[in-house]
């Protein structure tokens, strides 16, 4: 993960794997890639994590393309194994929507399916050996004339809070939109100000309901980020061990981590359905 003249310590190895490939504006006005974590911090809010965006967009395109391709080839006479698998996933998501969503909105099931599959794919990147994709990124960096030490690449998009917060904010916007659409502006305002303790406690009601509303996207984002970040950290720590110990530990952890990958995607999807159901409820 560095030039041949540099000795890699455990701390520098871990920091390198936890650093995003960041592009932004330096304090002197120059735009470029951050070569250190300090430079990434100096770039501020407008810095872009190219690895997070690149991996998540590629996985999203693959997911949509694959489902579109299978959908165009669907047949009722002799369905393929892939079609049966896709139908079982769609049926599973629909069952969860029917069980948790009581409103009438044809957008909720596709939203739940998209969030579930996309998050599963992003989480699954955690099962790729931690050095493989960063090594490829380094070779590409060398090809473009970059220093080996300055090539960062964080493989798992969901270990970047910017990605999980981005998805959660999108869900939050939908919650607000459908809350106002279904209840009206006055109904939504009443829900925030008159509950749970009535008109006389309006400031206290507004505080409680406001915190409850804002906590929804934050909890969505931090739960997914925290669990996936912890899992990635364990993989990185295992990679620091001698080669023969790595394989004896990484395989059991990877098998166990498959459960975490699926569980976190399921929890995110379920909460999205529940929050959308709450947004469609006429009464608090």
């Amino acid at each position: 993960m560095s030039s041949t003249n540099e000795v890699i310590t455990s701390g520098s190895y871990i920091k390198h794997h936890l650093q995003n490939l960041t592009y932004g504006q330096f304090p002197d006005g120059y735009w470029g890639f951050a070569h250190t974590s300090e430079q990434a911090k100096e770039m501020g809010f407008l810095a872009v994590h190219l690895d997070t965006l690149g991996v998540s967009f590629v996985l999203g395109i693959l997911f949509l393309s694959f489902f579109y391709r299978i959908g165009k080839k669907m047949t009722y006479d002799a369905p393929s194994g892939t079609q049966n698998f896709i139908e079982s996933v769609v049926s599973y998501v629909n069952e969860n929507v029917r069980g948790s969503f009581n409103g009438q909105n044809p957008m909720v099931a596709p939203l739940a399916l998209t969030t579930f599959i996309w998050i599963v794919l992003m989480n699954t990147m955690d099962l790729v050996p931690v050095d493989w994709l960063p090594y490829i990124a380094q070779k590409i960096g060398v090809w473009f004339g970059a220093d080996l030490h300055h090539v960062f690449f964080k493989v798992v998009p969901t270990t970047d809070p910017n990605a999980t917060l981005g998805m959660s904010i999108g869900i939050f916007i939908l919650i607000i939109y459908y809350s106002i659409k279904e209840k009206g502006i006055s109904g939504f305002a009443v829900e925030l100000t008159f509950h749970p303790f009535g008109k006389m406690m309006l400031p206290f009601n507004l505080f409680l309901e406001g915190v409850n509303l804002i906590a929804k996207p934050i909890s969505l984002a931090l739960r997914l980020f925290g669990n996936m970040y912890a899992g990635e950290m364990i993989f990185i720590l295992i990679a620091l061990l001698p080669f023969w110990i790595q394989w004896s530990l990484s395989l059991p952890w990877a098998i166990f981590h498959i459960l975490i990958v699926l569980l976190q995607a399921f929890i995110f999807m379920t909460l999205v359905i529940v929050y959308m159901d709450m947004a469609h409820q006429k009464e608090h």
Side-chain angles (χ1 to χ4, degrees), residues 12-237:
S12 62
Y13 180 83
I14 293 173
K15 288 181 180 179
H16 196 283
H17 275 286
L18 297 179
Q19 177 67 44
N20 286 97
L21 177 61
T22 307
Y23 182 85
Q25 187 178 26
F26 292 97
D28 61 2
Y30 170 74
W31 287 80
F33 292 96
H35 293 166
T36 64
S37 58
E38 290 74 19
Q39 289 182 350
K41 292 178 181 178
E42 291 175 354
M43 290 178 176
F45 181 76
L46 295 180
V48 178
H49 292 172
L50 296 181
D51 43 7
T52 296
L53 289 175
V55 174
S56 58
F57 271 80
V58 167
L59 292 176
I61 292 171
L62 290 176
F63 153 55
L64 295 176
S65 301
F66 180 71
F67 269 62
Y68 177 79
R69 177 172 169 269
I70 297 301
K72 294 291 286 184
K73 295 183 177 181
M74 287 186 65
T75 176
Y76 295 100
D77 298 329
S80 64
T82 303
Q83 178 181 327
N84 288 330
F85 173 74
I86 297 300
E87 288 179 347
S88 66
V89 172
V90 173
S91 176
Y92 173 75
V93 173
N94 280 332
E95 288 177 4
N96 279 273
V97 172
R98 285 195 294 267
S100 302
F101 183 75
N102 299 312
Q104 298 293 326
N105 190 335
M107 187 272 293
V108 174
L111 175 65
L113 177 65
T114 301
T115 55
F116 178 70
I117 298 298
W118 197 22
I119 293 174
V120 165
L121 292 176
M122 289 190 287
N123 290 353
T124 302
M125 298 303 294
D126 214 358
L127 302 178
V128 178
V130 295
D131 285 322
W132 285 12
L133 292 183
Y135 177 78
I136 294 173
Q138 286 184 347
K139 292 302 181 183
I140 295 174
V142 172
W143 188 51
F144 282 102
D147 190 318
L148 275 173
H149 177 68
H150 295 157
V151 178
F152 300 105
F153 197 86
K154 201 172 181 182
V155 175
V156 187
T158 45
T159 60
D160 184 351
N162 294 284
T164 58
L165 279 170
M167 291 186 291
S168 299
I169 290 172
I171 300 300
F172 181 68
I173 292 173
L174 289 175
I175 292 172
I176 298 298
Y177 172 76
Y178 282 106
S179 293
I180 295 175
K181 180 180 179 181
E182 296 295 324
K183 305 166 188 177
I185 295 179
S186 60
F188 183 54
V190 167
E191 185 178 79
L192 290 178
T193 55
F194 292 173
H195 298 277
F197 300 116
K199 299 179 181 179
M200 299 300 295
M201 298 289 288
L202 189 151
F204 190 63
N205 292 335
L206 181 60
F207 174 76
L208 288 179
E209 291 297 321
V211 170
N212 180 56
L213 185 65
I214 296 174
K216 291 177 181 178
I218 295 177
S219 64
L220 272 178
L222 295 185
R223 181 183 291 106
L224 178 58
F225 161 72
N227 282 276
M228 297 312 301
Y229 186 89
E232 177 68 2
M233 178 63 75
I234 293 177
F235 277 119
I236 294 173
L237 293 175

